[in-house]
Amino acid sequence: MSMRRSALFCTLALTTALVAVAPAAAQAAGIDRMPGRIVVTVGPDVRLEPAPTAGGISTGVPAIDALVRRFAVSEVQRLYPDVKKQLGRRFAEAQAAGKSAGGPIDLGFIDRTFEIVFPPSLELQAVMDAFAGLPEVAEVHPVELYRSGAYLPDDPGISGAQWYLRNLTTGGADVRAVGGWNQALGDSNVVIAVVDGGVAWTHPDLGGAHPDKVNGAIWTNWEEYYGTPGVDDDGNNFIDDIRGWDFVNAPGQGYPGEDDATPDNDPMDFGGHGTAVAGCAAAITNNGIGIAGTAPGCKIMAMRAGYVNASGEGVLPATAISQAMIYAAANGADIVNASFGPTSSFLRNAVQSCQIAGVLIVHAAGNDNIDTPGYFDTVAGVLSVAATNTEDAKAGFSNYGDWIDVCAPGTGIYTTYIVGPTSELTYTTVQGTSFSSPIAAGAAALIWSVNPGLSYTQIGNLLKNSTDDIAALNPGYDGLLGTGRVN
């Protein structure tokens, strides 16, 4: 493999602008939209039932059928499976335990939201405007492509130096993991959903030594594991989802050799980013190999929502992110790690579903050294994490602002990795807020392990209130780095 091709898998670009969701709004600078796809939400009184016909597709709504024919639409598919039962049960459990954000949510969006696929040569805004003009349509969105948080590989010669957990060189700037481990090693009932480009669940420091890679760091859906292959044993509308799900559905848009089509039950990583994130959060610890995880004993729910595109960038369609977050909320995750950005309000239903289900969302602040929040960073209860270096100073690339909640180490982070084209399971050293976020998420998981009765807002507040004050080490950033560096 050429050096340039290798580099493509080690550099994932991060953009910073937001894209408006209004149908006629101009596209914000720097944000990509997936060609040939839009998301349409019909009104509450509209019954849309897509079905193949001899002439193409019929939805049962004449005005929409006319546009289906006009734009040569090839697919009209529900964006979300019917998970209302599972979500409703999770909402009720969270509210009964005092862990929910409260307020009701109209789950009607699950039945009324559809992804529409048409020839990518068509002008996207024209198609959006046409659908938005129908009285039967409540909302129209482009399929935005968010970027995986950028990271730049460091010198591999420092391999194994996990200074961010225990800094033996200077004795500071780490997250005091050893002291935390004396209080808790992590409860396997606490689950961190890694919504990313997948997770290499076969990695020996993630899946472990079991032939089926259960009993390691990866969450296992035991009803499906012990169930009948090809059958939805747990009734959640996902068949054989033993360790998570692959929501990517972008045929022909991935890097050569990558699985970019047909969502399935294998959330395997290709670009390496999600695997690196997972290792930071909860790699298997005390197994004599590789690395330690911030939250040993806690579990990783593998949510593949992104892929490496033909240019070598890690991208996550907003549709797949929303599907993954709602799956996580419905299937028992406690924390969602979101190492991507920027985000927009298209994800509001997914965020609200998580919070009512009692799920803490932890989000990477971004790597452009600017004070520009994304949508997640403006939502109360979401933890936004900036990056620090080995001296407890703001990492040069890290975003900052009064919207930051906490900081965590984000430079020289040694963690698990996969080289997609060869499927090599290895380790690498990376940097970026993408890795500060799962370190913070892991710390939150440890707190939850000791305090299982607390709500996600209480866990977030405990994390914020227990940080080390690094203001004196960061002149010029007073009030712009949250409460301090995670301890």
Side-chain angles (χ1 to χ4, degrees), residues 361-390:
I361 301 170
V362 184
H363 183 233
N367 303 333
D368 289 291
N369 192 28
I370 59 174
D371 180 358
T372 304
Y375 169 68
F376 278 6
D377 307 307
T378 66
V379 176
V382 173
L383 285 183
S384 298
V385 186
T388 52
N389 63 19
T390 56

